[in-house]
Amino acid sequence: MKTFATFDFVSMAALFCLSILLNLACHHTIQANPSAKNPTAALDVHATIPAAKEVATRLYGLANEIDALRHEIYKIQEEPERFPIRELMQFYGKLMVGRLEAQHLLQMGEPAGRDLDRKFEELDRAIKHFSVKYGRTPRGQKLVAKQDVVARKLASRFPKIAAKAMDLATSGKVDASEAMLLGPAVELYRNLAPLNVPYDKPFQDQFITPFGSVMARIGEVRTPKYRVQATETIAALVQSSEQFSVQADAVIAEYRKGIAAADRMATQASQEELLKHWAVGSTQLVRANAIAYAFGFDRSPGESSGPAAVVSNASAKLQQSATAAHVALIDAAVQGAEQAVIPLVYSQFVVGISKAQNRTENGDAFLEACKPSLAKLSGKSPAVAAQLASYQRATHQPLQWRERFAKQSFELVSKQFPDASSVLAAEVDKQPTAPPSLVGWASLMMSKAGPLLVGKPISGGSARRLLIAKPFLAVASQGGHYLNVAMSQSTQDAVEDLNVALLVSDSHPPLSLDSASAVSAAVAHDYKAIGGEVVGVTLEPRVVRFATLPTAGYVLVRLGAMPDMRDQQRHDSLDAVCWRLDVKSTWLYHSHFLVTAQ
């Protein structure tokens, strides 16, 4: 059997290209996401609200700038008189704005807002600590006395500013309200940096309470507007997915012409076209579903008729329409195919139906819906019935034997390759190696998980070919993770052996559904499981991964299915993460063979 013994530069390039495809094929994504190679990278945004792109970029830049200062000060932490107090004060004011804008990102349905809020909270404590420490030095004590007077003077003026800002916010002019409020607030907050005194009641009444009230009002005005925008985006995606019925009707109409003209390629081409349209519609609904969760529509009152329910209903409708379209395509052949071409047409149908079945969430129901029409088609030709019976007798035992041997081989080789879920859940210091939700900073999670995962043997099920022309596989999302796989071995010999066993050639395609399923999966590189070594890890916000899913990545979610968008512990979609594991394959398990790298 032909194999490749090493995972070479070409395979690494394949994984890199696959990563680029999944990250950038949808134009919304702007960051890189934390990875084992770059753990400090920013989280992606889905940018359903376009302004999120600029806000997230700016805030991650600010966080990096402040974190760099923090690390510099750690080097001289025993010499507080050397602390750059003016810079610390300046950043303390910016941190206040940063935390507010992180909340703004959350209003836009962006998980990056939560990550940034936690970063800024910790950086706020560090900057405050350094500033207060400086304030205890002889020089710092003079500064503290001066800043206390300045801060209280600024606070006494704040209620009037806050009242005007509240009027603007109430009238819907939230940007103007925020601009009016933030300038004085930043100046006041900056002056508080070196003060180590409790916030007394006058300060609370003059600044903290009115400031919080205005910002809450701004959020109350913004959030419904953003939800309206999200609802419109969801509606547009759902409407686009509903074009499948129109597209399917056109494919079927064109197929009728082709089958009447005895076009030998019409059946195969029409099935591929239907599957393509189905994948596009399904991907649009996966995106819509993720956006619905990002904006909390899944937990809104009256959700039985809201955006999340609309997406769920559209998904069920698409599954029904796609199944009906495949049945209608077979029926068109029943009505229009000449008896002489029925053996070829029938064999093409069983191959195409098997491929669609392998890609569908409820494949058994899909197949059962197609069987009556397939039976009608075969019944139109006595030759097909005779050939099918003879073919099934000849291939029944080879299919059983090869399936049994492949399963035994898989059970043997997989013992050294634990399932990805168990590897990610393995506890280190009483915490999962790769938690399913944001715990602290995303970059710190990656710094911990990356070294623990890279180099690990791992396995995953239900691997599907991502690109026809490239050796890329994707193991479908399992809640909090998925696998990107670059095949490092050739399966050509295994496929040829399978074809010989099942009496399949270019001029003699498989006739039975069992044989067609085995052959179509082998040709399409659809595998029951894969095993290999983790060579890369990336942490992605789950709603962003699926809200920006490119059509080519539809294999991450089986047709007719929806990924789990919530962390099962916290039930919060904005906290839920998705770990992408880049894997170099060691073995590939097909239902009727197993290929290993030597």
Side-chain angles (χ1 to χ4, degrees):
M1 185 174 295
K2 188 185 297 183
T3 60
F4 291 97
T6 60
F7 186 67
D8 56 16
F9 176 79
V10 173
S11 298
M12 289 299 296
L15 277 173
F16 174 75
C17 293
L18 177 57
S19 173
I20 292 294
L21 170 72
L22 289 172
N23 274 337
L24 301 180
C26 183
H27 71 275
H28 292 304
T29 54
I30 60 165
Q31 321 286 350
N33 282 316
S35 66
K37 289 186 176 180
N38 184 13
T40 61
L43 290 181
D44 278 348
V45 298
H46 53 79
T48 300
I49 310 302
K53 188 181 297 187
E54 184 275 328
V55 174
T57 301
R58 177 162 42 80
L59 292 187
Y60 274 110
L62 175 63
N64 291 339
E65 196 176 357
I66 298 174
D67 199 31
L69 175 65
R70 179 177 66 157
H71 285 294
E72 286 302 311
I73 294 179
Y74 273 137
K75 297 176 184 178
I76 56 170
Q77 60 182 317
E78 300 305 322
E79 304 173 77
E81 68 280 357
R82 294 180 57 195
F83 292 176
I85 188 59
R86 297 297 173 189
E87 198 171 357
L88 287 168
M89 291 171 64
Q90 197 70 25
F91 276 134
Y92 197 59
K94 290 182 178 181
L95 273 167
M96 185 268 288
V97 178
R99 295 194 69 180
L100 291 174
E101 291 199 278
Q103 292 301 312
H104 191 183
L105 278 176
L106 287 172
Q107 293 161 9
M108 297 178 185
E110 297 290 357
R114 189 149 292 158
D115 184 41
L116 284 160
D117 183 59
R118 290 169 182 164
K119 283 178 182 284
F120 287 140
E121 183 179 11
E122 185 170 330
L123 291 171
D124 188 292
R125 287 196 296 268
I127 298 302
K128 183 68 174 177
H129 170 74
F130 294 142
S131 300
V132 169
K133 196 170 182 179
Y134 176 87
R136 295 188 183 123
T137 66
R139 243 193 214 173
Q141 289 173 358
K142 294 178 182 179
L143 178 68
V144 166
K146 176 183 175 184
Q147 299 307 127
D148 185 66
V149 173
V150 173
R152 293 188 184 281
K153 187 175 180 180
L154 291 171
S156 67
R157 300 173 184 168
F158 198 80
K160 290 183 178 180
I161 299 170
K164 292 180 181 179
M166 179 64 84
D167 289 341
L168 287 171
T170 301
S171 65
K173 300 175 181 177
V174 290
D175 291 340
S177 173
E178 191 173 63
M180 176 179 286
L181 196 69
L182 287 186
V186 168
E187 180 64 16
L188 175 54
Y189 210 73
R190 187 181 71 82
N191 282 279
L192 291 173
L195 303 184
N196 189 28
V197 292
Y199 294 152
D200 54 27
K201 191 172 187 307
F203 186 82
Q204 288 279 348
D205 293 342
Q206 292 172 345
F207 175 58
I208 299 295
T209 300
F211 180 76
S213 297
V214 176
M215 293 310 301
R217 182 60 182 144
I218 289 173
E220 290 169 359
V221 174
R222 276 179 173 156
T223 300
K225 290 183 178 179
Y226 292 153
R227 287 169 67 86
V228 168
Q229 287 181 255
T231 300
E232 291 171 350
T233 300
I234 292 168
L237 288 167
V238 169
Q239 184 177 16
S240 182
S241 76
E242 291 172 344
Q243 291 299 305
F244 174 83
S245 295
V246 176
Q247 295 161 337
D249 287 346
V251 171
I252 294 166
E254 193 65 26
Y255 177 65
R256 288 195 176 99
K257 296 177 185 177
I259 201 69
D263 182 349
R264 299 177 65 84
M265 298 306 296
T267 301
Q268 179 180 337
S270 297
Q271 288 183 103
E272 289 175 354
E273 193 73 7
L274 276 184
L275 189 60
K276 182 187 75 173
H277 291 312
W278 190 0
V280 170
S282 181
T283 303
Q284 288 163 332
L285 292 177
V286 168
R287 293 175 192 156
N289 183 64
I291 294 169
Y293 273 84
F295 286 87
F297 289 121
D298 60 295
R299 55 183 184 274
S300 301
E303 182 41 42
S304 59
S305 60
V310 169
V311 174
S312 179
N313 294 336
S315 179
K317 181 180 176 182
L318 177 61
Q319 180 83 0
Q320 294 168 359
S321 298
T323 302
H326 281 81
V327 171
L329 202 67
I330 304 170
D331 289 341
V334 172
Q335 297 166 9
E338 296 292 335
Q339 192 175 73
V341 299
I342 286 179
L344 173 64
V345 169
Y346 179 83
S347 64
Q348 289 175 331
F349 267 119
V350 293
V351 170
I353 293 300
S354 297
K355 181 177 180 180
Q357 178 195 13
N358 288 336
R359 298 289 172 98
T360 308
E361 171 68 3
N362 197 345
D364 290 344
F366 172 80
L367 181 60
E368 289 302 315
C370 294
K371 278 183 176 179
S373 293
L374 284 172
K376 290 178 185 177
L377 181 62
S378 64
K380 284 193 66 177
S381 170
V384 169
Q387 290 172 10
L388 180 57
S390 175
Y391 182 80
Q392 286 177 321
R393 286 194 300 271
T395 59
H396 177 69
Q397 285 190 340
L399 273 171
Q400 278 194 329
W401 178 84
R402 292 183 68 90
E403 184 175 19
R404 189 182 302 121
F405 184 75
K407 185 178 180 181
Q408 291 172 348
S409 300
F410 161 70
E411 289 172 348
L412 182 65
V413 75
S414 64
K415 290 179 180 179
Q416 305 302 317
F417 294 82
D419 181 75
S421 297
S422 63
V423 173
L424 295 176
E427 290 195 352
V428 178
D429 297 330
K430 298 183 179 181
Q431 289 290 330
T433 298
S437 60
L438 287 172
V439 180
W441 300 16
S443 56
L444 294 180
M445 289 173 65
M446 177 51 66
S447 295
K448 171 191 170 185
L452 294 173
L453 293 172
V454 172
K456 286 272 190 184
I458 206 166
S459 65
S462 188
R464 301 287 178 260
R465 186 71 171 259
L466 189 64
L467 295 173
I468 298 300
K470 301 290 182 181
F472 302 155
L473 301 174
V475 173
S477 170
Q478 304 292 318
H481 73 273
Y482 66 96
L483 275 58
N484 285 346
V485 185
M487 293 187 290
S488 58
Q489 56 270 90
S490 170
T491 60
Q492 181 179 347
D493 288 352
V495 174
E496 290 176 356
D497 288 346
L498 178 65
N499 286 340
V500 169
L502 299 183
L503 311 176
V504 171
S505 65
D506 290 342
S507 57
H508 294 86
L511 288 176
S512 71
L513 284 167
D514 288 342
S515 292
S517 179
V519 171
S520 66
V523 172
H525 292 283
D526 289 350
Y527 299 101
K528 291 176 71 72
I530 66 94
E533 177 187 341
V534 177
V535 296
V537 185
T538 304
L539 185 155
E540 303 174 330
R542 203 176 303 181
V543 295
V544 175
R545 168 66 285 158
F546 293 105
T548 61
L549 186 69
T551 300
Y554 84 91
V555 293
L556 292 186
V557 185
R558 296 178 74 85
L559 296 172
M562 286 293 168
D564 184 1
M565 297 308 304
R566 282 192 273 187
D567 163 28
Q568 293 305 303
Q569 292 179 338
R570 299 184 184 180
H571 302 288
D572 188 336
S573 304
L574 296 185
D575 258 338
V577 302
C578 194
W579 294 89
R580 186 180 80 217
L581 304 177
D582 295 328
V583 177
K584 74 171 185 180
S585 64
T586 302
W587 50 263
L588 305 170
Y589 170 42
H590 175 277
S591 58
H592 291 80
F593 61 78
L594 184 135
V595 178
T596 61
Q598 297 178 343

